[in-house]
Amino acid sequence: MPKVLLLNGPNLNLLGSREPEIYGSTTLKEIEEKVAAVLSGHEIECETFQSNSEGEIIDWLHKHRGADFLLLNPGALAHTSVGLRDAVLGVEIPFIEIHLSNVHKREEFRHHSYFSDIAIGALAGLGVKGYLLAAEFAVDYIEQKGNNNSGS
Ligand code: DQA
């Protein structure tokens, strides 16, 4: 069964109560369940992980190399982490970068991301919907890959 990774970075475990005027009131568990539901409808497995530790996130990604697609909200690591960027490049998993908030409308330090130029695409400011749209994109991407491989 194809596998999609849903990886969330620092402080996203606080979703639901953290600055709800910016990040909304949906919890991370609810987001994970909604994404898994989109994927399971297409017989795609979803593995989720969140950590506040950069090292744990990188280690988890290394362990899951071989997955078909990555949905990544790096949180603040988007703006700081060459290490996580290198890990994403190293495992060679195609990915979409997701931010609940529109980082381009916020403080200047959030305008640059170490991931946007290596992602297939990036979604920012669409709230939870961004995760669901990214999951739908992952379904299409995986199904298309399957079709391309079926004749060879
Ligand atoms: C975030 C945006 C980041 O700038 C911030 O550090 C986060 C959350 C978002 O989802 O909007 O932790 O990634």
Side-chain angles (χ1 to χ4, degrees), residues 80-96:
T80 63
S81 182
V82 176
L84 182 54
R85 174 190 170 97
D86 286 348
V88 171
L89 287 170
V91 297
E92 295 182 310
I93 305 173
F95 77 102
I96 292 188

Side-chain angles (χ1 to χ4, degrees), residues 33-105:
E33 284 169 1
K34 283 174 196 279
V35 168
V38 170
L39 297 170
S40 73
H42 298 269
E43 315 268 298
I44 297 171
E45 190 186 336
C46 182
E47 284 238 23
T48 64
F49 188 65
Q50 185 279 332
S51 173
N52 298 319
S53 150
E54 184 175 0
E56 273 181 23
I57 289 173
I58 292 172
D59 285 342
W60 187 84
L61 207 48
H62 288 182
K63 270 194 214 115
H64 291 80
R65 80 184 299 168
D68 297 279
F69 205 90
L70 169 65
L71 308 174
L72 174 66
N73 184 345
L77 295 177
H79 321 301
T80 63
S81 182
V82 176
L84 182 54
R85 174 190 170 97
D86 286 348
V88 171
L89 287 170
V91 297
E92 295 182 310
I93 305 173
F95 77 102
I96 292 188
E97 176 184 3
I98 304 159
H99 296 284
L100 289 151
S101 64
N102 183 349
V103 283
H104 303 288
K105 273 208 303 217

Side-chain angles (χ1 to χ4, degrees), residues 12 15-26 73 99-103 105-107 110 124-128:
L12 292 163
L15 285 179
S17 61
R18 172 194 183 197
E19 299 178 272
E21 65 291 354
I22 297 176
Y23 298 116
S25 55
T26 309
N73 184 345
H99 296 284
L100 289 151
S101 64
N102 183 349
V103 283
K105 273 208 303 217
R106 300 181 63 194
E107 304 97 318
R110 296 185 203 275
L126 306 183
V128 176

